[in-house]
């Protein structure tokens, strides 16, 4: 097989990213290019990126960047409290359509062998690229409207665009088996054209940093971490409820909440209502080293997601030498053996496992050691190998 | 002339139910699970009985009737016999029938299928005594051959068994202890007077126990005829071929659909076609053959995993913490004199609990995962430690009660 030329239709790349989508696209594209795949990565707007392993193209859709900063939060905001501001997702839908209108020149210029589109915002453009080039299209699914909104008022138009993309695509690549199930059951897609591609992580990039939250630790507190967007999808209310049970048995526990989102106020109110305020710290959104520091300070990372297509933070915890308790309703739980697992709704079990981890020291010792070994093997290179198999089937 | 010595381990643990921190201090029935999972001990025992014990016992009884030369040995754990008596008494009866033929030897082991020898000698001796009493009571037999849990063996254990008058002890015929020697001879443990050592031929044993239905194996399918011819190949170059395996090999680990019972049915016939092959029990083997040489085993050898050491039970931090937690409270538990409390403590010594906490899955393939009724080794550890903490609370409650009342003047 001669190496195929791949047109990747993306929405964002780091550092201009709002969440996991950009990180995942970057990790995958880099690993694929290291295996000799020629990638042209298309973004909707011109941004200043220092990337040399693949060619970048910008469709120049001329939309207000500010408004498009955070499409993940947007659909959930829409679903939750700002339902009246319907121009918000409207803007995204418009952006996705303009993106599709402007991709023609790029397709013509490169004449790709494969079109590889990432999430719904790029599917209209992916469909157009497929039609113009007559080449197969891959729909990579990092999240769906149903996960993003936790099933709460999903945007019908977004759902329809998503569905159209999945129907037209020759192959559909969700990031977990949990999402594969949603795609077959809720989008009616033939399971035979779906292949799960788990995300990877470059765990070697993580450095051990000077300890944080030492004053609490010196007072004998154990630290339990919630880190992620504070939205319905991430299950913050289950975290708070489990915390209230934990504190009855282990009063010297500090619950650290890192992240922001539309349920932050609700979460804080719940904390207060249950009388847990003294044992909760809200750090806001953290990036980079600060984020690694809070991971490393924690005795346990808890990811109680209601619906989590993948859940890269669980692997980030492991890379930071921190044990993880993760929701079984996540893609990552299908591959991450050396973690504690729980159904997000089972707060008693969640609390029981948090307490066990704080009480029985050996548990953390083994989870740390084994999960660190494990994440070293969950690399983007392995994910890229699976994607390569799909490319080979298509060309 | 060469002999075949068959010994089957018959054991099912009492698995700990999902026991949460909230149960500590409230619920002392650690082993009573009524769920549909494999933590339900009754359910598992009934399944294993149907798939394995009942059909295998039927076949062995036929074989013993048909071939007067046929011999075999069982080692039953006490926890298994207790469960048989409680949940499937008809299976216990069918074992009795086999033993009543007089050609089925019963071996000695610890009642609780524990690793106590390496942690608490007097506790180990108590468990061996308890087991002896039970075997006497159920089968009217006094065992003369010792085998330790998981075939865990070293020089000290051999010396102990020698002192207590056993005629033989069993161990894994591992290359690490044999060097260039063959497992197919009778040996003598170093520094012992009368006892002899029988070593498992792991290659031939595992051909049946692990590889029988493995279709990628170059020797698949394994017929009784082929297997008997392999054994016969040792004729003249070996005294006794020791085939040691779990009894659940028949029907549970290797399935009926893959022909394991056909294999079993034909096995004695194919063996006895060779006129200079016969069957012996472990006792007969050591009576019949002199020891060829000494065997020195300073560190512990078991029959598990590629390492053949205790690492499958005590290799990681959670296993180490669980086992030390249990043996640390031993004296206090025994001091209470509370029979139920002591029994529960002993049930927590069963080696399987620690095996379920093994995190070596990736290196040793699926064996650990297949036999694990818990979702993960960590879940096994959490239930175990919570139960162990409940034991500690029960001990404390005793100590409060037993404290001599001060004279209130």
């Amino acid at each position: 097989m001669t190496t195929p030329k791949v047109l990747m239709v993306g929405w964002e790349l780091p550092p201009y990213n709002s969440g996991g989508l950009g990180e995942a696209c970057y990790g995958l594209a880099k690993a694929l290019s290291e295996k000799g795949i020629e990638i042209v990565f298309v973004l909707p707007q011109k941004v200043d990126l220092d990337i040399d392993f693949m060619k970048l193209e910008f469709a120049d859709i001329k939309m207000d960047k500010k408004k498009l900063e955070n499409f993940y939060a947007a659909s959930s905001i829409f679903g939750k409290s700002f339902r009246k501001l319907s121009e918000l997702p409207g803007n995204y839908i418009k952006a996705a359509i303009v993106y599709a209108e402007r991709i023609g020149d790029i397709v013509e210029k490169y004449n790709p062998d494969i079109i590889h589109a990432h999430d719904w915002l790029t599917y209209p453009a992916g469909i157009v690229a497929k039609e113009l080039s007559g080449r197969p299209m891959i729909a990579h699914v990092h999240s769906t409207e149903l996960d993003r909104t936790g099933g709460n008022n999903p945007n019908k138009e977004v759902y329809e665009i998503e569905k159209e993309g999945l129907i037209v695509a020759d192959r559909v690549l969700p990031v977990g088996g949990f999402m594969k199930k949603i795609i077959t059951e809720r989008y009616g897609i033939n399971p035979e054209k779906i292949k799960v591609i788990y995300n990877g992580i470059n765990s070697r990039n993580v450095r051990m940093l000077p300890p944080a939250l030492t004053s609490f630790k010196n007072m004998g507190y154990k630290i339990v971490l919630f880190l992620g967007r504070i939205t319905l999808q991430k299950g913050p209310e289950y975290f708070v409820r489990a915390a209230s049970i934990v504190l009855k048995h282990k009063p010297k526990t500090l619950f650290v909440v890192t992240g922001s989102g539309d349920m932050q106020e609700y979460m804080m109110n719940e904390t207060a209502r249950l009388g847990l305020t003294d044992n909760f710290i809200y750090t806001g959104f953290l990036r980079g080293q600060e984020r690694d520091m809070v991971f490393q300070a924690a005795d346990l990372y808890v990811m109680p997601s209601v619906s989590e297509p993948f859940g890269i933070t669980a692997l980030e915890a492991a890379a930071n030498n921190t044990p993880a308790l993760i929701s079984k309703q996540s893609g990552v739980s299908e591959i991450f053996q050396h973690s504690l697992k729980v159904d997000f709704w089972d707060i008693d079990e969640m609390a029981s496992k948090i307490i066990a981890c704080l009480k029985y020291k050996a548990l953390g010792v083994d989870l740390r050691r084994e999960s660190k070994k494990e994440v070293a093997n969950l690399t983007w290179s392995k994910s890229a190998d699976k994607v390569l198999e799909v490319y080979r089937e298509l060309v | 002339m060469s002999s075949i010595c068959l010994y089957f381990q018959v054991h099912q643990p009492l698995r700990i139910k999902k026991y949460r921190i909230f149960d500590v201090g409230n619920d002392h029935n650690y082993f009573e699970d009524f769920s549909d999972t494999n933590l339900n001990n009754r359910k598992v025992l009934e399944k294993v009985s149907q798939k394995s014990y009942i059909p295998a016992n039927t076949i062995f009884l036929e074989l013993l009737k048909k071939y007067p030369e046929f011999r075999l040995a069982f080692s039953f754990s006490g926890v298994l016999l207790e469960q048989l008596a409680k949940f499937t008494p008809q299976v216990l009866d069918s074992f009795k029938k086999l033993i009543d033929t007089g050609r089925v030897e019963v071996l000695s082991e610890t009642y609780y299928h524990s690793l106590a020898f390496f942690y608490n000698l007097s506790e180990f001796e108590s468990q061996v005594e308890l087991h002896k009493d039970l075997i006497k009571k159920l089968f009217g037999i006094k065992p003369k051959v010792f085998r330790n849990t998981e075939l865990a063996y070293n020089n000290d254990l051999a010396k102990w068994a020698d002192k207590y008058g056993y005629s033989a002890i069993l161990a894994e015929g591992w290359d690490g202890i044999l060097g260039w020697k063959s497992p197919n001879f009778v040996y003598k443990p170093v520094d012992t007077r009368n006892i002899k050592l029988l070593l498992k031929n792991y290659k031939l044993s595992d051909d049946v126990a692990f590889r029988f239905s493995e279709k990628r194996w170059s020797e698949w399918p394994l017929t009784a005829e082929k297997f008997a011819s392999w054994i016969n190949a040792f004729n003249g170059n070996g005294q006794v071929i020791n085939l040691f395996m779990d009894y659940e090999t028949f029907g549970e680990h290797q399935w009926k659909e893959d022909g394991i019972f056909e294999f079993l049915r034909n096995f004695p016939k194919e063996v006895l076609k060779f006129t200079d092959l016969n069957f012996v029990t472990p006792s007969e083997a050591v009576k019949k053959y002199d020891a060829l040489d000494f065997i020195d085993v300073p560190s512990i050898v078991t029959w598990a995993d590629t390492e053949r050491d205790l690492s499958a039970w005590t290799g990681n931090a959670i296993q180490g913490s669980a086992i030390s937690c249990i043996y640390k409270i031993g004296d206090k538990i025994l001091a209470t004199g509370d029979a139920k409390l002591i029994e529960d403590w002993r049930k927590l010594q069963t080696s399987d609990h620690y095996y379920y906490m093994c995190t070596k899955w990736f290196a040793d393939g699926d064996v650990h995962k297949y036999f694990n009724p818990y979702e993960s080794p960590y879940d096994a550890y959490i239930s175990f430690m919570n139960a162990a903490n409940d034991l500690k609370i029960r001990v404390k409650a005793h100590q409060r009660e037993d404290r001599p009342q001060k004279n209130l003047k």
Side-chain angles (χ1 to χ4, degrees):
Chain A
M1 181 185 92
T2 55
T3 49
K5 190 193 287 176
V6 178
L7 188 76
M8 275 208 180
V9 191
W11 187 256
E12 57 173 31
L13 283 175
Y16 302 97
N17 61 313
S18 62
L21 175 65
E23 298 284 351
C25 287
Y26 181 89
L28 180 64
K30 187 156 193 286
L32 282 168
S33 73
E34 278 161 8
K35 291 175 193 292
I37 298 294
E38 193 187 335
I39 296 171
V40 178
F41 200 102
V42 191
L43 285 169
Q45 317 227 52
K46 173 94 178 120
V47 278
D48 193 18
L49 288 168
D50 182 23
I51 287 173
D52 59 2
F53 56 83
M54 61 186 175
K55 187 107 186 62
L56 293 175
E57 281 288 344
F58 306 100
D60 196 17
I61 61 170
K62 294 198 176 69
M63 299 287 285
D64 180 358
K65 238 187 255 173
K66 265 258 154 63
K67 277 188 183 164
L68 296 176
E69 225 160 39
N70 194 337
F71 82 88
Y72 272 101
S75 55
S76 147
I77 285 167
F78 173 76
K80 199 74 186 162
S81 36
F82 302 102
R83 213 177 307 164
K84 276 163 264 160
L85 299 175
S86 57
E87 79 271 7
L88 246 180
N91 263 342
Y92 286 94
I93 291 162
K94 209 170 133 203
I97 303 299
V98 176
Y99 196 2
E101 285 166 4
R102 303 208 169 221
I103 202 160
D105 290 348
I106 298 168
V107 176
E108 215 162 276
K109 182 173 165 192
Y110 288 99
N111 189 25
D113 300 303
I114 288 170
I115 320 292
H116 190 151
H118 296 271
D119 269 7
W120 75 273
L121 281 158
T122 72
Y123 291 168
I127 293 169
V128 169
K130 176 185 157 99
E131 277 167 9
L132 290 176
S133 63
R135 302 297 186 180
M137 171 195 166
I138 293 170
H140 211 114
V141 196
H142 301 264
S143 70
T144 67
E145 181 65 6
L146 299 180
D147 314 295
R148 286 188 296 268
T149 57
N152 197 349
N153 287 317
N155 183 293
K156 203 164 177 316
E157 285 171 88
V158 171
Y159 171 84
E160 288 301 332
I161 292 173
E162 239 163 19
K163 190 170 177 178
E164 182 65 14
L166 300 177
I167 290 170
V168 171
D170 298 86
R171 286 283 192 290
V172 174
L173 310 182
V175 294
F178 178 69
M179 201 201 282
K180 179 180 175 175
K181 203 164 169 270
I182 292 175
I183 292 169
T184 51
E185 287 174 6
R186 308 286 297 276
Y187 290 79
I189 302 301
N190 177 3
E192 279 173 24
K193 73 173 188 182
I194 304 175
K195 180 172 176 175
V196 174
I197 306 285
Y198 293 106
N199 286 343
I201 183 172
N202 293 323
S203 60
R204 283 188 186 82
N205 296 347
V206 176
R207 285 189 307 121
M208 286 302 128
L209 300 163
L213 297 165
T214 43
S215 51
F216 286 100
K217 293 196 154 195
N218 291 341
M219 286 191 285
Y221 277 88
K222 298 279 187 183
I223 293 165
V224 177
L225 175 68
F226 176 100
L227 187 149
R229 283 176 294 110
I230 308 177
T231 58
L232 190 74
Q233 184 193 351
K234 302 289 179 182
E237 73 241 66
Y238 299 97
F239 184 77
V240 175
R241 282 198 243 158
S244 76
I245 302 172
V246 171
L247 285 169
K248 284 184 197 130
H249 295 80
K250 284 258 158 197
K252 278 206 152 178
T253 308
L254 186 69
F255 294 88
V256 175
V257 180
T258 294
S260 55
D262 59 13
M263 275 182 74
Q264 182 163 351
E265 200 183 324
Y266 168 84
M267 194 180 187
M268 286 173 155
N269 287 341
E270 274 299 283
T271 314
R273 191 178 66 80
L274 294 167
L276 315 174
T277 310
D278 290 348
N279 293 76
F280 266 74
I281 288 186
Y282 289 84
T283 70
F285 181 79
L286 298 178
R287 267 187 196 275
Q289 282 212 354
E290 283 185 330
R291 184 180 159 97
D292 283 347
M293 275 170 97
V294 78
F295 264 128
Q296 290 172 23
D299 293 282
L300 179 68
Y301 170 61
V302 182
M303 187 184 82
S305 303
V306 172
S307 174
E308 187 70 76
F310 188 71
I312 193 73
T313 49
L315 301 185
E316 285 177 45
N320 278 294
N321 231 6
T322 299
L325 167 58
I326 62 178
S327 149
K328 289 182 188 173
Q329 287 68 34
S330 69
V332 71
S333 74
E334 296 155 26
I335 50 162
F336 189 16
Q337 303 287 354
H338 293 289
S339 59
L340 302 176
K341 294 173 192 175
V342 65
D343 289 305
F344 73 86
W345 42 261
D346 192 348
I347 52 163
D348 280 335
E349 181 67 9
M350 199 183 292
S352 172
K353 283 187 164 153
I354 293 171
I355 295 164
C357 197
L358 303 180
K359 193 173 161 77
Y360 308 129
K361 210 175 140 221
L363 193 56
V365 172
D366 277 344
L367 282 168
R368 276 194 178 86
R369 193 190 55 234
E370 296 297 327
S371 66
K372 184 128 198 189
K373 275 194 267 173
E374 198 179 3
V375 287
N377 277 312
L378 300 172
T379 59
W380 276 117
S381 173
K382 291 206 171 144
S383 314
D385 285 338
K386 293 265 161 63
V387 173
L388 274 182
E389 286 169 22
V390 178
Y391 288 173
R392 287 197 192 100
E393 287 162 21
L394 289 177
V395 294
Chain B
M1 175 59 90
S2 290
S3 304
I4 296 169
C5 178
L6 297 174
Y7 136 64
F8 303 112
Q9 180 62 33
V10 199
H11 165 64
Q12 290 294 324
L14 280 164
R15 298 156 196 86
I16 304 167
K17 68 182 172 190
K18 183 175 212 158
Y19 189 87
R20 289 171 169 175
I21 193 84
F22 319 116
D23 299 320
V24 176
N26 302 315
D27 176 359
H28 312 314
N29 300 316
Y30 317 133
F31 312 101
E32 282 177 23
D33 179 291
F34 304 104
S35 75
D36 222 22
T37 69
N38 282 336
L39 294 175
N40 180 331
N41 292 308
R42 180 189 199 118
K43 198 197 96 171
V44 173
L45 191 78
E46 284 171 353
K47 189 188 79 183
V48 174
S49 294
Q50 285 305 321
K51 284 178 74 177
S52 174
Y53 299 159
I54 293 171
N57 283 3
T58 307
I59 292 171
F60 274 114
L61 192 63
E62 284 167 23
L63 293 173
L64 285 159
K65 280 183 184 154
K66 200 162 166 189
Y67 304 102
E69 309 92 325
F70 193 50
R71 304 276 188 283
L72 67 140
F74 286 121
S75 193
F76 302 97
S77 70
V79 281
L80 179 269
L81 291 170
E82 250 183 46
Q83 292 186 78
L84 287 180
K86 194 169 163 192
F87 301 136
T88 56
Q90 75 283 9
V91 178
L92 185 56
D93 288 341
S94 71
F95 276 115
K96 280 182 190 159
K97 268 189 201 140
L98 292 175
I99 292 156
D100 286 345
T101 63
R103 285 178 283 136
V104 175
E105 181 167 9
V106 178
L107 310 184
S108 177
E109 65 165 280
T110 58
Y111 190 107
Y112 293 94
H113 199 265
S114 73
L115 297 167
F117 181 78
F118 307 106
Y119 294 91
N120 185 331
L121 183 63
S122 71
E123 169 60 16
F124 166 79
E125 290 178 341
S126 303
Q127 291 184 22
V128 172
E129 281 309 309
L130 285 168
H131 184 261
K132 261 189 190 158
D133 294 346
L134 183 69
I135 296 298
K136 180 87 190 156
K137 191 180 115 198
L138 289 175
F139 306 121
I141 281 180
K142 185 175 181 253
K144 288 175 291 206
V145 171
F146 190 77
R147 78 110 238 172
N148 197 24
T149 307
E150 317 295 359
L151 280 192
Y153 174 94
N154 64 8
N155 290 338
D156 291 340
L157 181 73
K159 275 185 246 174
W160 175 87
D162 188 38
K163 192 175 120 195
Y164 280 81
Y166 289 103
S167 65
I169 183 163
L170 313 186
E172 175 80 2
W174 183 233
D175 310 68
I177 62 172
L178 277 165
W180 54 270
K181 291 173 196 151
S182 151
N184 308 321
F185 290 91
V186 174
Y187 290 96
K188 196 160 184 49
V190 289
D191 301 328
T192 57
R193 285 171 304 164
N194 302 311
I195 199 165
K196 287 175 181 167
L197 176 61
L198 293 174
L199 295 168
K200 173 180 151 189
N201 183 315
Y202 71 83
K203 160 89 187 35
L204 287 170
S205 301
D206 294 352
D207 284 342
V208 180
F210 297 149
R211 287 180 282 273
F212 180 80
S213 52
E214 179 57 63
K215 295 194 171 61
R216 281 169 301 177
W217 182 33
S218 59
E219 297 294 346
W220 185 87
L222 182 63
T223 60
E225 189 185 0
K226 192 195 284 181
F227 193 61
S229 76
W230 291 349
I231 294 171
N232 188 52
F234 289 108
N235 226 327
N237 188 27
Q239 301 165 331
V240 56
I241 317 295
N242 296 306
L243 302 178
F244 301 167
M245 61 194 83
D246 285 335
Y247 197 42
E248 297 82 8
T249 297
F250 305 105
E252 169 74 4
H253 303 169
Q254 307 299 333
W255 295 351
K256 182 176 120 189
E257 292 77 8
D258 293 313
I260 191 68
F261 291 121
E262 282 315 298
F263 173 88
L264 183 58
R265 214 173 251 122
N266 293 323
F267 178 59
K269 180 180 76 192
E270 294 298 336
V271 165
L272 295 168
K273 276 184 187 166
F274 299 97
T275 48
D276 46 3
L277 279 185
N278 66 2
F279 289 96
V280 289
T281 62
S283 289
E284 289 169 342
V286 294
K287 219 176 270 168
K288 196 172 162 109
Y289 298 109
D290 290 332
L292 186 77
D293 199 353
F294 286 98
I295 295 278
D296 182 14
V297 186
S299 46
I300 302 164
V301 170
T302 72
W303 69 357
D305 296 349
T306 48
E307 297 94 336
R308 299 295 204 284
D309 57 12
L310 277 181
S311 59
W313 297 274
T314 63
N316 63 24
I318 54 177
Q319 292 170 314
S321 110
I323 208 159
S324 78
C325 168
I326 277 301
Y327 285 106
K328 242 193 308 206
I329 56 177
D331 291 343
K332 284 180 188 160
I333 296 266
L334 292 169
T336 64
D338 177 333
K340 181 77 177 80
L341 184 52
I342 294 168
E343 191 188 325
D344 284 344
W345 172 63
R346 286 180 167 155
K347 284 175 181 169
L348 289 175
Q349 293 180 41
T350 301
S351 65
D352 304 68
H353 302 310
Y354 311 99
Y355 191 79
Y356 299 145
M357 300 173 200
C358 182
T359 45
K360 290 196 288 178
W361 290 352
F362 305 115
D364 283 307
D366 286 328
V367 182
H368 291 272
K369 212 167 183 173
Y370 178 79
F371 293 112
N372 201 335
Y374 299 91
E375 284 179 34
S376 82
Y378 308 107
D379 285 19
Y381 174 71
I382 291 171
S383 286
F384 183 95
M385 288 305 284
N386 288 340
N389 271 284
D390 185 67
L391 269 190
K392 284 189 195 167
I393 288 175
R394 288 163 69 188
V395 171
K396 281 208 184 104
H398 253 282
Q399 287 168 339
R400 273 197 296 275
E401 281 167 29
D402 296 347
R403 200 171 295 149
Q405 299 289 313
K406 285 222 176 91
N407 205 352
L408 300 171
K409 276 183 188 167

